[in-house]
Structure formats: C-alpha cells, structure tokens
Amino acid sequence: LEKKLTGPKSSPIQYSDKWKNISNWRKLKMGMSFKEVEYLLGSPEKIKGGDFTYWYYGTTKLTFYLSRLDRWNEPNFSKLK
C-alpha cells in the first residue's frame, strides 16, 4: 500500500482551446464517439457520466447517449473574447 501511495503521480489533463474555434463545432455530427469529439474540441473541462454523459466546455454542454453524441449547442462566441 505504501508503495502505491508513493508511486508515480498522474499528470494533470492538458486542456486545449480547440473548443473555442467555431469551425470545430461545425464539424460535429450526431452519433460521433467520445474520441471523435475529443479530437475536434479537445478534452472537456468537466464530465458527468451515466447512460447520458455530459461534457462541459466553459458553460456549453454536449450530451452523449450510450457513448454517442446526441445533442449540443454551440458556445456563445461573443462572450468568449
């Protein structure tokens, strides 16, 4: 147990500003996987999981159902600047 507690630390998630690019949001399609969305937008700031999984980028939420993109709204880009 002590070895596990003193073992290597995990590195923090590196967030990307890719989600702040409107052209990346316009490439989203229904049914995309987590990996496909993460490729376009980068890692989300927050995730809430279950059958419905919610990814948050700023105040914008994407909804996945059974691990596939189901719905989303583009962020209000005028408030991001």
Side-chain angles (χ1 to χ4, degrees):
L1 180 61
E2 186 175 320
K3 185 176 181 179
K4 287 183 180 183
L5 293 174
T6 60
K9 307 267 190 240
S10 61
S11 56
I13 296 172
Q14 296 297 314
Y15 297 107
S16 166
D17 283 344
K18 290 168 50 173
W19 71 272
K20 293 181 180 179
N21 184 333
I22 194 166
S23 66
N24 291 337
W25 286 88
R26 304 238 164 115
K27 293 175 187 172
L28 293 175
K29 298 191 182 333
M30 294 283 291
M32 291 179 93
S33 68
F34 294 133
K35 189 171 226 136
E36 291 170 316
V37 173
E38 187 174 18
Y39 176 79
L40 287 175
L41 302 179
S43 297
E45 295 173 1
K46 184 168 106 178
I47 297 174
K48 289 185 178 180
D51 284 344
F52 285 95
T53 302
Y54 305 99
W55 282 19
Y56 295 88
Y57 294 89
T59 59
T60 303
K61 176 174 74 173
L62 286 85
T63 303
F64 293 83
Y65 178 64
L66 299 176
S67 304
R68 294 294 176 178
L69 186 60
D70 187 60
R71 67 183 81 97
W72 69 95
N73 291 315
E74 291 179 357
N76 184 343
F77 289 97
S78 64
K79 291 184 177 183
L80 293 177
K81 297 180 183 197

